[in-house]
Amino acid sequence: MAAIKELGKSLVQPLLAVVIGLLIGALVIASVGESILGTYQEMWKGAFGSFYFFTSTLARATPIMLIALGLSLAFRAGVFNLGAEGQMVLGAISATLVAIYLPAPGVVKLVAAIFTGMAAGGLWALLPGFMEARFRIPLLISTLLFNYIAVLFASYLVTEPFRDRSGSAALAQTVMLDKSVWLPKLFAGMSVHAGFLFAIVGAAILFWVIRFTPFGYEVKMLGQNPLFAQYGGINGIRVMLTGMFASGGLAGLAGTVEVLGAHYRFVDGALTVPNFAWTGLMATLLANSHPVGVVFTSILLAAFQTGAMGVERNTEVPLELASVISAVLILFISAKFSYDWWKKRKAKGGESHGTA
Amino acid sequence: MELLDWSLVSSTIRMVTPILLAALGGALCARVGIFNVGLEGMVLVGAFSAIVGNHFTGNLFLAILIAALTSVLFSLLFAYMTIKLKANEIVVGVAINFLALGLTTFALRAIFGVKGAFYDKDMAGLPKWDIPGLQHIPVVGEVVSGHSPLVYLAFVAAIALYLFFYKTVTGFRVLAVGSNPVAARSLGLKVAGLQVLAIVMCGALCGIAGAQLSLGQVTMFSEGMTAGRGFIALVAMMMGQSHPLGILASSFLFGLMDALSIRLQGFSLPTQFTSMLPYLLTVVAMFFLKDRMKGASHNQQSTR
């Protein structure tokens, strides 16, 4: 009961922000002289209009959701991980290479690839965590820097040693994965794949961890009041490192399922151009780091994007309507974000890990 | 083709300008205890409004002014959200970047009716200034002369910011707010006011950085043309310890790496590694500079 109440409370403000976002979106649509209602109708159709579009929205929501889940755990512990992009890309390329070169039967390869992707993302996140713990290098800055290093390194791997030179050489990409390691689609002919189930299960597990396990309690204490957590005998560094590993691992999984379930190869830029990492960050913020809320906000943000694609196909309004609405959403959420959760921490003061 | 020659230095100076300007803006924010992730968006808005201003007024000076003012408006939104509504600056910064990308692309369609990029062959870019007396001296002329006025402005801005921080009363106050906001407030300093001042000045610098991108280098606007330069500026700011001269040095490093990585393509070396170098260097530098770094970024917690 308390859980439902908490969920309800954390959803009121986001819904209000959605309304404000749509109102500002309406202003923008009106400024290009298009019909507001017509445009929003197209948006709805593009996102949920048919079963096909609905599954496309879910497919797009999958990586966003996984990243957002990881970040929500980190944020709950007061750890500001801005490195999801690098963790995702590094996870994806590692998983791809395992899926291509590991000499094993299909299913074994698939499982190995998934675990490799998670491990690569997690370890890449652990490194800045370690640097913060050991050398007091702000996590906020190091994770941001690590994005570039990871993305450029992955880009090098697919342009030089592991490039597919058989087909058209225009794109920097690996060879196509063998069909046996593809993640199955949930419905024939639709784009949503098994990765979506991973995200849903991940949300459930994370909810359980945060709510019912001692670790979840430690995370909560650390996030809300680091000083109290310390007095309570909670090993802040251990919780921070675990949180970083888990959040990086989930980002790595996001990249992995995108490769195994949607692209079937690692294409340079295919994960960074759609801005999955920053959209995931927004989804976390919208849901106030609630794992179940993240499921809905990820689908919402993905729906804006797929809906905007529909808008662009059928009207004169450009795709970027989605960015405008999402950004306004975040601005209106962030004010509350601080009032509730952030400010409480600040009022009580105390050292935290990399959030400053 | 030579790998290292004087024209490399010349192109470094050109490439460094937008990064330097934005990084100086970021330093102003950092010095009042605000970590501004929104630089990227503010530069993008500047780049777009410079083109709009140039298209409709036909006057380059006005175009730059419009770019600066629009970015200032944008920065006021940032200031309002972070200072008045006490929203987390990173969250707002991320939202500002999305908003800037969305609005500029949207306005590109709404104002010019084009998608992707706007280019007008009749539009004049920023002039190249030849420095009298210097331009004919070998090497010096090649390196120093023949840049757009904004390039020179960027270097003047770095020196001006140094003088502002360390030679003026307001500058000292800004530094005081950054190093200990509680003490600054107890001295009767208007902490919020100084923070807004810094953010607005940051907006103006980012706007000018954008104008250099869209009018100084190419005379066009394309969607998302900042391509991460705002984040690079952020890194340059951190590496330079928010000190104007430190930023000058670190921006140069990024500019040089940029210019080098373009040139290295001719040598069939993987450009990814040269592009990676500044970030790796910054990580390494942080191991040595961590103590002073703390002062610049760790105490925002207590500002509000």
Side-chain angles (χ1 to χ4, degrees):
Chain A
M1 195 59 219
I4 297 167
K5 210 173 155 190
E6 191 196 329
L7 178 65
K9 215 175 79 183
S10 65
L11 280 181
V12 172
Q13 180 97 15
L15 287 177
L16 197 70
V18 170
V19 172
I20 297 171
L22 290 177
L23 282 177
I24 299 208
L27 277 178
V28 177
I29 297 165
S31 75
V32 282
E34 282 280 327
S35 146
I36 295 168
L37 225 57
T39 307
Y40 277 141
Q41 264 168 5
E42 286 297 338
M43 197 168 205
W44 176 262
K45 273 195 247 166
F48 302 114
S50 70
F51 189 63
Y52 176 77
F53 287 134
F54 178 59
T55 56
S56 308
T57 300
L58 294 186
R60 196 175 176 95
T62 303
I64 297 173
M65 206 182 288
L66 284 166
I67 288 170
L69 285 172
L71 291 179
S72 70
L73 181 69
F75 288 180
R76 281 203 165 226
V79 181
F80 234 116
N81 174 12
L82 289 187
E85 185 154 289
Q87 293 146 18
M88 166 182 68
V89 169
L90 218 58
I93 184 76
S94 316
T96 313
L97 293 179
V98 167
I100 295 172
Y101 295 105
L102 187 74
V107 185
V108 179
K109 265 210 278 198
L110 178 65
V111 174
I114 289 172
F115 279 104
T116 310
M118 289 180 76
L123 290 174
W124 189 244
L126 206 55
L127 191 56
F130 172 74
M131 279 160 56
E132 155 95 32
R134 180 76 179 74
F135 300 103
R136 304 196 54 76
I137 290 170
L139 201 61
L140 192 70
I141 302 174
S142 51
T143 50
L144 199 59
L145 287 168
F146 274 36
N147 279 340
Y148 291 96
I149 297 173
V151 170
L152 285 166
F153 182 65
S155 164
Y156 163 73
L157 288 181
V158 292
T159 35
E160 293 289 333
F162 299 109
R163 184 176 191 150
D164 174 17
R165 298 184 193 277
S166 54
S168 61
L171 272 175
Q173 56 187 21
T174 63
V175 292
M176 192 74 121
L177 298 180
D178 188 71
K179 269 214 164 70
S180 61
V181 289
W182 291 12
L183 277 178
K185 298 282 186 200
L186 294 183
F187 307 99
M190 306 287 167
S191 44
V192 66
H193 51 81
F196 182 72
L197 296 181
F198 292 1
I200 297 291
V201 172
I205 293 176
L206 202 61
F207 177 73
W208 176 76
V209 166
I210 286 175
R211 187 133 205 104
F212 298 110
T213 65
F215 177 71
Y217 175 74
E218 292 182 356
V219 163
K220 196 173 158 192
M221 281 303 108
L222 190 69
Q224 288 188 342
N225 193 336
L227 219 57
F228 175 75
Q230 204 185 341
Y231 286 137
I234 290 170
N235 184 342
I237 288 176
R238 194 179 57 86
V239 175
M240 188 263 284
L241 289 179
T242 318
M244 278 306 280
F245 183 76
S247 87
L250 280 164
L253 181 63
T256 304
V257 299
E258 196 60 12
V259 166
L260 298 179
H263 305 300
Y264 307 126
R265 59 177 12 147
F266 185 93
V267 186
D268 193 20
L271 295 171
T272 46
V273 170
N275 253 331
F276 287 136
W278 293 108
T279 313
L281 180 68
M282 297 214 289
T284 313
L285 298 171
L286 269 177
N288 203 12
S289 302
H290 192 292
V292 179
V294 157
V295 173
F296 294 103
T297 54
S298 303
I299 294 175
L300 178 77
L301 291 180
F304 279 134
Q305 293 174 354
T306 49
M309 287 175 200
V311 167
E312 188 163 77
R313 278 195 299 272
N314 299 315
T315 67
E316 289 298 302
V317 181
L319 190 65
E320 274 63 26
L321 179 64
S323 311
V324 174
I325 295 178
S326 323
V328 171
L329 258 170
I330 296 301
L331 282 176
F332 277 90
I333 284 291
S334 63
K336 174 250 178 181
F337 181 67
S338 62
Y339 272 128
D340 246 44
W341 180 83
W342 197 261
K343 202 177 170 189
K344 217 185 290 166
R345 300 187 44 204
K346 283 189 173 169
K348 287 177 184 161
E351 195 82 5
S352 70
H353 294 289
T355 52
Chain B
M1 191 171 62
E2 285 281 325
L3 180 59
L4 300 166
D5 57 19
W6 292 112
S7 74
L8 181 74
V9 181
S10 178
S11 60
T12 298
I13 289 176
R14 221 171 20 253
M15 298 210 170
V16 88
T17 304
I19 297 172
L20 174 60
L21 281 166
L24 292 173
L28 269 160
C29 291
R31 288 291 180 159
V32 293
I34 288 166
F35 189 71
N36 190 348
V37 192
L39 294 179
E40 175 93 359
M42 293 182 187
V43 175
L44 189 62
V45 164
F48 179 72
S49 30
I51 289 286
V52 173
N54 193 5
H55 182 76
F56 288 106
T57 64
N59 182 320
L60 284 167
F61 178 74
L62 279 179
I64 295 170
L65 198 67
I66 289 170
L69 285 178
T70 320
S71 288
V72 164
L73 270 181
F74 228 65
S75 71
L76 280 175
L77 177 65
F78 182 87
Y80 182 76
M81 296 306 295
T82 50
I83 295 168
K84 180 79 180 164
L85 297 185
K86 303 196 189 310
N88 179 270
E89 58 240 34
I90 295 164
V91 179
V92 179
V94 172
I96 287 273
N97 290 337
F98 266 85
L99 194 61
L101 186 63
L103 282 180
T104 49
T105 307
F106 209 94
L108 187 69
R109 179 76 73 87
I111 297 175
F112 298 115
V114 293
K115 196 173 149 46
F118 175 72
Y119 175 75
D120 177 358
K121 63 177 166 46
D122 299 325
M123 190 187 282
L126 293 174
K128 304 263 180 281
W129 275 1
D130 289 321
I131 309 294
L134 281 180
Q135 78 182 96
H136 298 299
I137 304 173
V139 179
V140 177
E142 195 181 345
V143 171
V144 173
S145 186
H147 295 293
S148 88
L150 294 184
V151 172
Y152 301 111
L153 181 69
F155 290 95
V156 172
I159 296 163
L161 194 64
Y162 175 78
L163 295 176
F164 171 73
F165 275 157
Y166 300 105
K167 305 285 173 205
T168 68
V169 176
T170 318
F172 275 127
R173 286 183 177 156
V174 164
L175 294 184
V177 169
S179 61
N180 193 338
V182 179
R185 195 173 285 130
S186 67
L187 280 175
L189 294 184
K190 291 189 174 57
V191 171
L194 286 168
Q195 285 179 329
V196 174
L197 174 77
I199 294 174
V200 164
M201 277 160 62
C202 169
L205 285 168
C206 286
I208 296 170
Q212 164 69 15
L213 265 187
S214 63
L215 291 179
Q217 295 178 356
V218 284
T219 326
M220 66 177 288
F221 177 83
S222 58
E223 289 170 13
M225 73 184 297
T226 40
R229 281 189 185 81
F231 285 109
I232 293 174
L234 204 61
V235 173
M237 179 272 278
M238 297 185 278
M239 196 177 170
Q241 308 272 301
S242 306
H243 188 290
L245 303 184
I247 289 170
L248 196 62
S250 58
S251 306
F252 247 98
L253 187 67
F254 280 96
L256 184 68
M257 294 299 161
D258 236 9
L260 254 182
S261 71
I262 290 170
R263 194 160 287 206
L264 281 173
Q265 288 169 349
F267 288 80
S268 67
L269 260 172
T271 50
Q272 286 91 355
F273 286 112
T274 48
S275 318
M276 210 189 283
L277 220 51
Y279 305 106
L280 286 173
L281 280 177
T282 311
V283 172
V284 172
M286 285 200 308
F287 279 96
F288 297 102
L289 303 171
K290 55 180 188 275
D291 294 331
R292 276 191 291 161
M293 197 109 161
K294 216 174 153 268
S297 68
H298 253 263
N299 53 30
Q300 296 146 26
Q301 203 85 23
S302 47
T303 50
R304 291 182 285 270

